Amino acid sequence: MKTKNEWLSSVYQPAAQKFPERKYNFTNLSDMDPEPIYTADDLEDWDAGRELGYPGEFPYTRGVQPSVYRGKLWTMRMFAGFGSAEQTNARFHALLSAGQTGLSTAFDLPTLMGYDSDHPFSRGEVGKCGVAVSSLADMELLFAGIDPTTVTTSMTINSPANAIWAMYIANAQKQGKDLGQVGGTIQNDILKEFIAQKEFIYPPAPSVKLVIDTFEWGPKVLPKWNFISVSGYHIREAGATGVQELAFTLADGFHYVEKALERGLNIDEFAPRISFFWDIHNDFFEEIAKMRAARRIWARQMRDRYGAKNPRSLMLRTHSQTAGVSLPAQQPLNNIARVAIQALAAVLGGTQSLHTDSFDEALALPTEEAATIALRTQQIIAYETGVAGVVDPLAGSYYVEKLTNDIEAAALGYIEQIRALGGVEAGIESGFFQLEMAEAAYRYQREVERGERIIVGVNDFVQDPVSVPIQNIDPQVEALQAARLAQVRRERDPKRAEAALADLRSTAVTGANSMPAFLECAHAYCTLGEQMDILKTVYGEYTEPVLI
């Protein structure tokens, strides 16, 4: 049998002279240029036992569970949240009735930034990009009729994560639920806020301290809860490549591990509840290889660098979401196809849960019809394609394994570069992440504008604009929220609320674990804004450095 190079020189290159390669940018979104063909020659030093193993076994390249989807399908967890707590609760029930198996909560911008709905800065934004939650009263309405011990809930919240999580826990306690049976995930990844999404409140050091409070407290009180979802999604949406998303996200995860170890926590007590969150973009094989490389890097670093011994500490478990940034407003129905391909990549990459974006992503929050189509996309993949019947069907593919190796090597190079800078927090202050992502985003946009990278319906195959129905937010939500807040402040025990806020401030001053104080604030119906404001008096507020 010919070697790869022999075949290229004797067969492919002569054929290419007769039928030249089309003028097309074959590079993937991480600017890696694939070769025309891959063979065993590309894996000359590759050892299947070392690099692959079996599913459910170290280094978990093939998945963290032996049976993957033959045992249990991924959780179909659609991101939802808009308007008032009552409106989002109705959408939750509709999605559950349609066959969704878990909830994912989107909060509005004031909530994400730690402002009450009646704060002057909240005007015009209440309920617009998610649901408004300002106190336990809102949380009670948001999850009315939903059992927190049977339906797992993910909540995308970061700077105010401790306070929002405490409200969710307080609601479960008021329902009389056993917290040991309450499962879900709080995003709680503040580092990626400084890197990408910019919804920070306090400086990095105290912000990370609040995260590690959940590492310390969570496993003892809610052993089934994932108290962090280290998120590459927002990094990718802000312009990073797939390799940068992988490297920066894993670096964030390792940073949290190091801070938890500095506090004296046992790695095998907190590490099993660390989860991740990936953005699944358009380059099909790159996304699959990225997820495989992520599991392998995490497992090896956790064992060899940080000394974890519990196999669950080595397992990178992940939620995935199709890439909102890849879904243009032009010809929005094309996005149904994009999302289906991205979702298939997430499944073949071994995700544990998945959100599929709606085709109207670029226009507004999804209509119920658009959200249902997105959910049905997952169900078709699960039940009609056969891909869930074989564990890691792409294992051993020359291209997939070579690409996994290349992405792993590139990501590890970035991780070592970040460590050489002094770690993630030093990289944030120096602007390292911002500059790397800006360069990648600029390069991509230039390729699109020059027609070097085709986006169907945007820079080629264009047509007249198509109108689709969009979700409109009731402008009365802001008034409704203001009235509910006034009622909460009027009817709560003022002395209990005052004492709870004083205790929260005390924990910030002394450095004690903040979660018991946040939980008491929730039960006392302290508002989100009151809690965030009291911490500002101790931690201050963060201003991003200006990069020149």
Side-chain angles (χ1 to χ4, degrees):
M1 183 175 176
K2 297 183 179 73
T3 67
K4 173 183 172 178
N5 287 334
E6 289 171 346
W7 182 86
L8 286 171
S9 61
S10 65
V11 179
Y12 185 82
Q13 290 172 3
Q17 290 178 355
K18 187 176 181 180
F19 301 103
E21 289 186 348
R22 56 196 169 93
K23 293 182 179 179
Y24 182 76
N25 182 6
F26 290 102
T27 59
N28 65 20
L29 297 180
S30 290
D31 206 32
M32 295 176 170
D33 194 4
E35 298 184 43
I37 189 173
Y38 288 83
T39 72
D41 294 347
D42 294 291
L43 300 174
E44 188 174 355
D45 298 322
W46 185 80
D47 181 271
R50 182 183 68 243
E51 305 299 337
L52 278 183
Y54 283 98
E57 295 183 1
F58 187 88
Y60 305 103
T61 311
R62 303 193 65 185
V64 296
Q65 298 297 336
S67 62
V68 189
Y69 307 132
R70 284 183 72 96
K72 180 178 182 291
L73 286 171
W74 64 93
T75 301
M76 300 179 193
R77 192 185 301 281
M78 302 300 292
F79 197 35
F82 66 94
S84 67
E86 296 94 331
Q87 290 170 321
T88 298
N89 176 263
R91 175 66 65 86
F92 282 167
H93 282 284
L95 287 168
L96 291 170
S97 297
Q100 180 168 306
T101 52
L103 297 175
S104 182
T105 311
F107 296 96
D108 69 0
L109 190 58
T111 305
L112 293 170
M113 297 301 296
Y115 292 112
D116 288 336
S117 294
D118 60 357
H119 191 283
F121 286 177
S122 301
R123 289 174 186 164
E125 291 291 342
V126 176
K128 288 293 177 66
C129 70
V131 63
V133 173
S134 296
S135 76
L136 177 57
D138 294 319
M139 193 67 76
E140 291 166 347
L141 293 168
L142 181 59
F143 290 100
I146 297 170
D147 186 344
T149 65
T150 59
V151 177
T152 60
T153 296
S154 174
M155 292 184 285
T156 300
I157 195 79
N158 294 283
S159 282
N162 303 58
I164 292 294
W165 189 30
M167 292 178 196
Y168 187 87
I169 296 166
N171 183 47
Q173 288 178 318
K174 290 192 69 175
Q175 294 178 22
K177 301 299 181 181
D178 176 5
L179 294 185
Q181 299 304 312
V182 174
T185 302
I186 191 88
Q187 192 164 101
N188 198 25
D189 177 11
I190 196 61
L191 290 173
K192 70 93 173 53
E193 295 297 328
F194 295 105
I195 292 171
Q197 190 163 240
K198 310 302 180 183
E199 289 167 356
F200 44 72
I201 300 174
Y202 315 115
S207 296
V208 171
K209 182 267 180 195
L210 291 173
V211 173
I212 303 306
D213 285 352
T214 68
F215 280 48
E216 182 178 37
W217 186 83
K220 301 171 185 175
V221 182
L222 286 90
K224 290 188 173 183
W225 194 277
N226 302 315
F227 41 76
I228 191 168
S229 177
V230 191
S231 302
Y233 189 87
H234 311 83
I235 293 172
R236 189 69 178 276
E237 295 285 292
T241 68
V243 166
Q244 289 172 340
E245 175 199 3
L246 174 60
F248 298 170
T249 306
L250 290 177
D252 287 350
F254 297 139
H255 189 85
Y256 293 126
V257 168
E258 290 163 8
K259 291 299 179 183
L261 293 175
E262 286 176 11
R263 191 178 287 195
L265 304 185
N266 183 331
I267 192 168
D268 287 320
E269 290 182 2
F270 68 79
R273 302 317 303 178
I274 297 174
S275 63
F276 285 79
F277 177 20
W278 301 122
D279 184 294
I280 308 300
H281 213 290
N282 282 333
D283 196 297
F284 187 73
F285 290 107
E286 180 184 6
E287 296 307 315
I288 294 167
K290 178 186 75 180
M291 296 176 74
R292 293 161 64 82
R295 288 191 291 270
R296 195 155 69 201
I297 293 171
W298 182 257
R300 288 174 171 167
Q301 294 269 316
M302 290 296 282
R303 185 192 69 177
D304 300 339
R305 185 180 182 92
Y306 298 108
K309 294 180 174 58
N310 182 350
R312 291 184 59 80
S313 301
L314 314 181
M315 298 178 185
L316 188 151
R317 297 167 301 110
T318 189
H319 174 66
S320 299
Q321 180 173 335
T322 56
V325 74
S326 74
L327 307 180
Q330 299 94 323
Q331 300 181 29
L333 294 178
N334 294 346
N335 294 332
I336 297 174
R338 291 186 178 98
V339 166
I341 294 166
Q342 293 167 6
L344 182 59
V347 170
L348 289 172
T351 194
Q352 277 68 61
S353 68
L354 177 62
H355 165 88
T356 32
D357 291 329
S358 300
F359 66 82
D360 52 3
E361 173 82 10
L363 303 171
L365 294 178
T367 62
E368 188 165 336
E369 179 187 30
T372 301
I373 290 171
L375 175 60
R376 295 287 183 251
T377 300
Q378 293 197 47
Q379 292 166 335
I380 289 168
I381 291 172
Y383 296 106
E384 298 185 24
T385 64
V387 298
V390 178
V391 178
D392 189 27
L394 295 180
S397 158
Y398 298 133
Y399 178 44
V400 170
E401 300 302 350
K402 180 64 164 64
L403 186 57
T404 300
N405 290 349
D406 290 346
I407 288 175
E408 177 185 25
L412 284 170
Y414 259 125
I415 290 169
E416 290 307 315
Q417 188 177 357
I418 292 164
R419 285 171 174 159
L421 289 171
V424 173
E425 290 182 41
I428 290 167
E429 293 294 350
S430 70
F432 169 77
F433 299 103
Q434 191 72 34
L435 292 171
E436 289 289 316
M437 291 161 51
E439 175 60 31
Y442 176 75
R443 181 177 64 247
Y444 176 83
Q445 188 60 30
R446 291 281 287 179
E447 290 175 354
V448 172
E449 292 176 1
R450 290 171 173 168
E452 296 168 358
R453 192 173 294 279
I454 300 301
I455 309 297
V456 174
V458 176
N459 61 357
D460 205 351
F461 312 106
V462 297
Q463 65 183 44
D464 292 336
V466 176
S467 177
V468 296
I470 64 171
Q471 177 75 48
N472 292 304
I473 305 301
D474 184 354
Q476 295 305 311
V477 168
E478 193 166 325
L480 173 69
Q481 280 295 108
R484 184 177 296 144
L485 271 167
Q487 182 180 2
V488 165
R489 295 187 184 109
R490 185 171 60 249
E491 295 180 355
R492 70 188 179 185
D493 180 342
K495 291 185 178 179
R496 183 180 183 183
E498 183 179 353
L501 290 170
D503 186 46
L504 179 60
R505 188 181 192 283
S506 177
T507 64
V509 171
T510 63
N513 193 296
S514 61
M515 281 309 303
F518 276 116
L519 188 57
E520 172 56 19
C521 283
H523 278 295
Y525 289 87
C526 300
T527 70
L528 178 64
E530 289 169 344
Q531 295 174 66
M532 297 302 99
D533 285 348
I534 206 74
L535 293 182
K536 288 176 186 177
T537 65
V538 180
Y539 297 147
E541 296 183 69
Y542 183 67
T543 302
E544 197 171 24
V546 177
L547 303 179
I548 299 176

